[in-house]
Amino acid sequence: MMQPSKHIRLGEKQIGEGFPVFIVFEAGPTHDGIDTAKKLVEEAAKAGADAVKFQLVDPVRLVPDRKQLFSYQILEERGGEAMRTVTEPLYDILSRRTLTREQWADVKAYCDSLGIVFFSTATFKDEVEFLAELGCESIKICSGDVDYLQFIDYCARKNVSLQFDTGNATLGDVERAVDVALAAGNDKLIVHNCPSGYPARLESINLRMILTLKTMFDCPVAFSDHTPGWEMDIAAVALGANLVEKTITLDRSTPSVEHLFSIEPKEMQQFVSHIRDLEVALGHPRRIMSDEERKKASAVRRSMIVSHDLNPGDVITEECIDFARPGFGIRPEMSHLILGRRLKKEIKAGSFVGLDDID
């Protein structure tokens, strides 16, 4: 069987080891129509994100039981921290984020015009076909469909990158999903560590799973964040996440699912900036010294000096030398090359010894 590709190309960017973290802003659950969807795209592009993600949902087909309930938390008031739990029909929640095909085409075109990658979750085959027609380069399989192997096989054959959410999934579930995609001839796979919960409990985040997934699948690994703030995203990048997905909102106090832990426009650019700064700070696995660092190192290192006055012909011994800053002369590690040699000239106590001073 083929192996997953180590690098995935989306738009003009490569995702994988050795490339900058691919930053995705999730707008699927937090828009409530075409206007807010496009506004979120605009804010994501302005902040410097690489992609914006949406969710194609058809509540009529996906949730035939219109009384099926879903519970989540919202903020009591804007700017506050107090939360309360809301329970409402899942059908109603999904209906708020439903757009027509024409509207989705408009959103995709708007993304293209702003130079930001558009991709989406799909839950039915006709949605996959529609996304392919739009030129969508990646389709995400939601965690609820990680065991819907027939659907994964269908998506994999569309020659687009597949992203797997893994919330509430076992490693066995993820392995089977990946194997099905590979068997269908698709190696452009990204596996997400996706904590469950809205917001996710700290105990459910399991950031070390990023390392496990990278070892198991040897493909780009992502972190889908369901927590307030961005501390978990920073930690995920430090652990090696190749992609981070953070939910965004126009107003965190909006009384609907996922707004509570989303970031607002004023924070989006900071989010991107913090990740880019971290990438610079992470640097290289090897110690690479700049010219400036070498000069600073020499200024605080030591060089050989004589501890008392010496005359021409005197033999340099350990008893007559010491080491002092700066380190522009003979370093301590070179002293064995100098000991036992004779001086060519007089050197006063406290003076540095140079190679030209010895025979």
Side-chain angles (χ1 to χ4, degrees):
M1 183 183 292
M2 68 165 56
Q3 297 298 311
S5 175
K6 294 179 183 294
H7 302 116
I8 308 296
R9 186 180 186 87
L10 289 185
E12 299 300 316
K13 306 288 181 66
Q14 293 274 6
I15 305 171
E17 298 302 309
F19 294 97
V21 174
F22 194 80
I23 299 175
V24 178
F25 281 152
E26 162 74 284
T30 52
H31 74 86
D32 58 8
I34 182 67
D35 292 336
T36 53
K38 293 177 72 172
K39 181 61 177 175
L40 287 167
V41 168
E42 180 183 331
E43 296 294 347
K46 189 188 304 182
D50 297 303
V52 61
K53 175 189 166 291
F54 287 95
Q55 301 171 5
L56 264 64
V57 291
D58 185 342
V60 174
R61 288 188 291 171
L62 192 62
V63 190
D65 179 3
R66 299 194 179 188
K67 295 182 180 180
Q68 180 183 344
L69 298 179
F70 186 84
S71 296
Y72 57 92
Q73 291 183 306
I74 65 171
L75 289 176
E76 287 279 14
E77 58 184 23
R78 182 171 179 79
E81 296 183 2
M83 299 179 292
R84 64 184 174 91
T85 300
V86 174
T87 300
E88 64 175 319
L90 181 59
Y91 178 89
D92 294 347
I93 296 171
L94 298 180
S95 294
R96 290 197 289 269
R97 59 180 83 160
T98 302
L99 300 182
T100 65
R101 296 288 171 91
E102 291 75 17
Q103 288 173 323
W104 281 125
D106 190 11
V107 172
K108 171 63 166 62
Y110 193 55
C111 288
D112 292 344
S113 72
L114 295 179
I116 189 168
V117 172
F118 166 98
F119 71 92
S120 177
T121 298
T123 50
F124 291 101
K125 292 179 179 179
D126 60 297
E127 294 171 347
V128 174
E129 294 293 341
F130 172 65
L131 289 172
E133 291 172 8
L134 286 182
C136 181
E137 297 178 62
S138 187
I139 292 174
K140 194 170 186 185
I141 307 296
C142 68
S143 57
D145 286 340
V146 73
D147 64 344
Y148 188 4
L149 302 183
Q150 301 93 322
F151 183 66
I152 292 171
D153 176 80
Y154 184 86
C155 294
R157 297 177 187 279
K158 294 303 172 184
N159 195 34
V160 296
S161 164
L162 290 189
Q163 301 189 40
F164 295 100
D165 253 342
T166 61
N168 294 321
T170 67
L171 283 174
D173 293 331
V174 183
E175 277 190 294
R176 281 189 293 273
V178 168
D179 285 348
V180 166
L182 292 172
N186 192 325
D187 64 349
K188 296 181 290 187
L189 311 178
I190 301 172
V191 180
H192 287 242
N193 178 42
C194 179
S196 60
Y198 300 94
R201 295 174 295 106
L202 289 177
E203 297 83 3
S204 74
I205 297 172
N206 294 316
L207 287 170
R208 288 194 178 96
M209 273 297 299
I210 292 170
L211 303 175
T212 301
L213 295 172
K214 290 172 81 73
T215 300
M216 285 184 64
F217 300 109
D218 198 23
C219 70
V221 169
F223 175 61
S224 297
D225 189 16
H226 288 171
T227 63
W230 50 66
E231 293 86 352
M232 299 303 110
D233 300 274
I234 294 296
V237 173
L239 284 170
N242 307 114
L243 178 154
V244 292
E245 181 182 301
K246 182 68 178 176
T247 310
I248 58 174
T249 179
L250 297 176
D251 184 353
R252 196 157 38 238
S253 65
T254 301
S256 189
V257 66
E258 298 199 35
H259 289 271
L260 166 70
F261 54 79
S262 301
I263 56 174
E264 297 177 333
K266 64 180 181 294
E267 302 164 310
M268 294 178 195
Q269 191 167 357
Q270 289 178 288
F271 179 91
V272 174
S273 178
H274 283 316
I275 289 177
R276 297 305 179 214
D277 286 348
L278 174 60
E279 288 181 295
V280 174
L282 285 171
H284 304 276
R286 295 182 57 197
R287 186 72 169 108
I288 300 175
M289 300 283 286
S290 66
D291 290 341
E292 182 181 358
E293 287 174 321
R294 288 191 182 92
K295 288 179 181 178
K296 288 182 178 179
S298 293
V300 298
R301 300 286 171 87
R302 302 189 190 210
S303 297
M304 182 185 290
I305 62 170
V306 297
S307 55
H308 55 268
D309 293 347
L310 296 177
N311 299 309
D314 286 347
V315 176
I316 300 176
T317 65
E318 289 187 359
E319 289 73 23
C320 66
I321 63 170
D322 205 344
F323 297 94
R325 296 176 180 173
F328 299 129
I330 297 172
R331 296 285 183 86
E333 67 267 23
M334 297 172 58
S335 62
H336 67 284
L337 301 175
I338 308 301
L339 293 173
R341 307 277 292 274
R342 293 184 182 277
L343 285 174
K344 294 193 296 187
K345 65 178 186 179
E346 178 185 9
I347 299 182
K348 296 294 184 181
S351 298
F352 289 96
V353 181
L355 292 175
D356 292 339
D357 299 329
I358 58 176
D359 286 326

